Amino acid sequence: MSNLKKHRFCDLYTMSSGISSTKDQAGHGSPFLSFSVVFNNYFVPDALPDLMDTSDKEKETYSIKAGDIFLTRTSEVVDELAMSCVAVKDYPNASYSGFLKRLRPTQTDITYSKFMAFYLRSPMFRKTMTNNAVMTLRASLNKAIFSYLNLLLPEYNEQVKAGDLLYLLNEKIELNNRINAELEAMAKTLYDYWFVQFDFPDDSPQGQGKPYKTSGGKMVYNPTLKREIPQGWELVPIEYFADVIDPHPSHRAPREVEIGFPFAGIGDIDEAGNISTSKARQIDEEFVLKQERDYEIGEYSLGYGRVGTVGKVVRLKKQKFRYALSPTLSVINPKKPEYAGYVYTVVKSDEFYKHVIKNTSGTTRPAVGIQLLRKIPVLKPGSAHNNMFEKYEEITKELFEKSSIANQENQNLIELRDWLLPMLMNGQVTVK
């Protein structure tokens, strides 16, 4: 695939802006492609999770068809600008956000959509975008760049073979993510049953293993929660169960290098805790060494987004390579192994998220301070039910272990995918 041809971007695609919608239109109506979906996906999902009330004219003007490429046109930081997402099928009646740009192909035999999905997220193209972005209060996409931007592309049939291979790898990653989502849903169901509905098995002489609340377990009103909780239970700050560690934003900004260690922000880590090496910036070792002295990433550590993506939780794990975390993340380490499952599920709960949002400050870059994060209240069972954590961990540990296996497979697939694209581009690897 070493015979690359130069093409002008503006000859291959037409560019259009998305719909300028109002709050009253959101949440009902027809399928809608949002900024977050584009940012987090190589490909537009089969079903769009968002809705927008749009007219027939708007659906026609802001349509989504197979081969369309969507780019994020604005962001708080330049590294998250112009993230791409490709549609591989038509989406009848759907429209897309005004925070996106749509690139619609003008031909059928020069670019292959599945190949372009990976090409546009490659380090080479990402660097071109960031170098030409306009940065004021927010980074924005400089539309003029597409009038002089050139793409170096292999022949169409070579793109098809490479794109289909990379797409299969991506499909396996997505399948593993869906499996993990089901495993987490099972853990959350148990959490809700025990720690929200309070129908945990009551092993006291009175309870004899029956569901606590429905069997008449004594409940008392908690004025902070404004609801009843089991007698003897109390609210404690999350730091009772876990160390909430700030990755020290006082460190100097890391120096970007050509070859080094990944510097991961929340946008570089997927929901499973896998770091995309093609997205993460490469930094020098000095910054990594400083953070390694500050905290330890263990199997049960969590990354918690504090700026821009407040409330996003990912399960971190020790990687085969070393990396550093952006100061936009906090690290949460359970203090005891038996707290691991409970801490992970509680920080992903709706109740915890509401507390986080209530404590955020700022508008353009909402954030929750580390001290406030440490003080967010969570439930602590009374002494009569102290063994609940061990029981919950015993049941959910197998679920999380299965999830860890799938996560490790995903990490290997992500590394393979990110390695393959440049190798395919320079002809060192070919697809038979």
Side-chain angles (χ1 to χ4, degrees):
M1 206 182 276
S2 55
N3 295 324
L4 304 179
K5 290 187 177 181
K6 184 184 292 185
H7 301 272
R8 289 206 315 160
F9 207 112
C10 60
D11 293 336
L12 303 179
Y13 296 94
T14 59
M15 177 179 286
S16 302
S17 297
I19 187 172
S20 297
S21 56
T22 64
K23 287 184 179 180
D24 293 337
Q25 290 177 270
H28 59 99
S30 302
F32 182 71
L33 181 60
S34 66
F35 179 99
S36 61
V37 169
V38 168
F39 183 84
N40 290 307
N41 293 278
Y42 278 72
F43 298 94
V44 179
D46 283 340
L48 297 179
D50 301 296
L51 298 173
M52 187 67 62
D53 186 16
T54 51
S55 66
D56 290 341
K57 177 64 175 175
E58 287 172 325
K59 292 170 187 173
E60 180 183 351
T61 303
Y62 307 106
S63 61
I64 302 175
K65 297 185 181 297
D68 286 349
I69 297 170
F70 297 89
L71 299 177
T72 57
R73 70 168 183 82
T74 182
S75 180
E76 290 148 358
V77 291
V78 69
D79 293 328
E80 297 177 359
L81 186 67
M83 296 299 292
S84 63
C85 184
V86 174
V88 294
K89 68 172 188 177
D90 292 347
Y91 291 78
N93 300 318
S95 58
Y96 61 98
S97 168
F99 292 104
L100 304 172
K101 292 286 188 182
R102 183 189 67 195
L103 306 178
R104 177 158 287 175
T106 59
Q107 37 59 45
T108 58
D109 59 352
I110 297 180
T111 61
Y112 181 57
S113 59
K114 290 179 180 177
F115 177 82
M116 293 304 294
F118 300 99
Y119 179 90
L120 296 176
R121 288 208 176 211
S122 67
M124 174 185 66
F125 186 81
R126 294 290 309 134
K127 192 158 191 175
T128 301
M129 287 291 97
T130 56
N131 286 346
N132 287 276
V134 177
M135 189 72 193
T136 52
L137 292 177
R138 292 173 63 89
S140 61
L141 192 60
N142 183 2
K143 186 176 179 179
I145 180 181
F146 294 98
S147 65
Y148 56 80
L149 179 64
N150 291 318
L151 300 179
L152 288 174
L153 299 173
E155 294 289 343
Y156 182 79
N157 64 332
E158 295 297 324
Q159 291 183 46
V160 171
K161 289 189 287 187
D164 286 346
L165 172 62
L166 295 170
Y167 184 76
L168 286 174
L169 294 178
N170 203 69
E171 285 287 278
K172 176 56 177 170
I173 293 168
E174 290 301 317
L175 175 60
N176 283 346
N177 286 339
R178 290 196 295 273
I179 291 172
N180 285 342
E182 290 297 324
L183 293 170
E184 285 197 10
M186 293 168 67
K188 184 181 184 301
T189 298
L190 184 65
Y191 169 83
D192 289 343
Y193 195 62
W194 285 14
F195 296 99
V196 179
Q197 302 173 40
F198 304 118
D199 267 333
F200 53 87
D202 183 9
D203 293 333
S204 67
Q206 299 82 11
Q208 298 181 344
K210 297 177 181 178
Y212 182 83
K213 186 176 180 181
T214 56
S215 299
K218 187 169 178 57
M219 305 287 289
V220 295
Y221 182 77
N222 184 281
T224 303
L225 294 176
K226 296 181 173 57
R227 64 188 178 103
E228 291 187 329
I229 63 175
Q231 185 180 41
W233 288 39
E234 60 180 320
L235 287 174
V236 297
I238 184 66
E239 64 181 353
Y240 179 91
F241 296 109
D243 295 315
V244 183
I245 307 164
D246 192 346
H248 294 290
S250 59
H251 288 338
R252 64 168 179 77
R255 181 172 62 88
E256 191 168 352
V257 295
E258 289 296 325
I259 300 176
F261 300 93
F263 176 71
I266 196 73
D268 304 319
I269 308 173
D270 67 19
E271 296 294 341
N274 298 304
I275 294 178
S276 175
T277 54
S278 65
K279 290 169 60 181
R281 284 185 291 157
Q282 299 295 304
I283 62 168
D284 60 355
E285 187 175 16
E286 183 181 352
F287 191 89
V288 180
L289 289 171
K290 285 184 177 180
Q291 284 205 344
E292 284 180 343
R293 290 195 296 267
D294 293 336
Y295 57 80
E296 175 70 18
I297 297 294
E299 179 63 28
Y300 297 106
S301 299
L302 308 178
Y304 203 88
R306 295 193 293 112
V307 177
T309 48
V310 169
K312 180 177 178 181
V313 186
V314 292
R315 190 178 183 119
L316 302 171
K317 57 186 180 294
K318 291 181 178 179
Q319 310 280 347
K320 290 189 296 184
F321 51 85
R322 292 158 63 195
Y323 62 94
L325 295 177
S326 163
T328 61
L329 282 161
S330 295
V331 176
I332 301 177
N333 284 325
K335 291 183 176 179
K336 296 181 180 179
E338 59 265 30
Y339 292 163
Y342 177 72
V343 169
Y344 178 67
T345 316
V346 79
V347 299
K348 295 199 76 170
S349 67
D350 294 338
E351 296 91 339
F352 196 84
Y353 179 73
K354 289 175 183 176
H355 278 291
V356 170
I357 295 302
K358 187 171 68 174
N359 285 289
T360 56
S361 59
T363 53
T364 57
R365 291 177 66 83
V368 57
I370 189 71
Q371 294 301 329
L372 289 173
L373 186 59
R374 289 170 179 156
K375 301 301 179 184
I376 290 178
V378 299
L379 277 169
K380 174 182 174 294
S383 56
H385 307 126
N386 262 343
N387 63 345
M388 282 186 63
F389 297 117
E390 287 85 351
K391 286 185 175 181
Y392 186 80
E393 181 65 18
E394 182 181 348
I395 295 172
T396 59
K397 185 176 181 179
E398 184 178 354
L399 301 178
F400 291 132
E401 284 177 348
K402 289 180 179 178
S403 177
S404 293
I405 292 171
N407 285 348
Q408 186 57 60
E409 184 179 68
N410 270 7
Q411 188 64 58
N412 294 336
L413 290 170
I414 288 170
E415 291 177 30
L416 175 61
R417 181 194 68 194
D418 294 346
W419 173 82
L420 269 176
L421 182 61
M423 299 293 283
L424 288 165
M425 288 295 296
N426 62 27
Q428 290 181 264
V429 172
T430 57
V431 182
K432 299 295 185 184

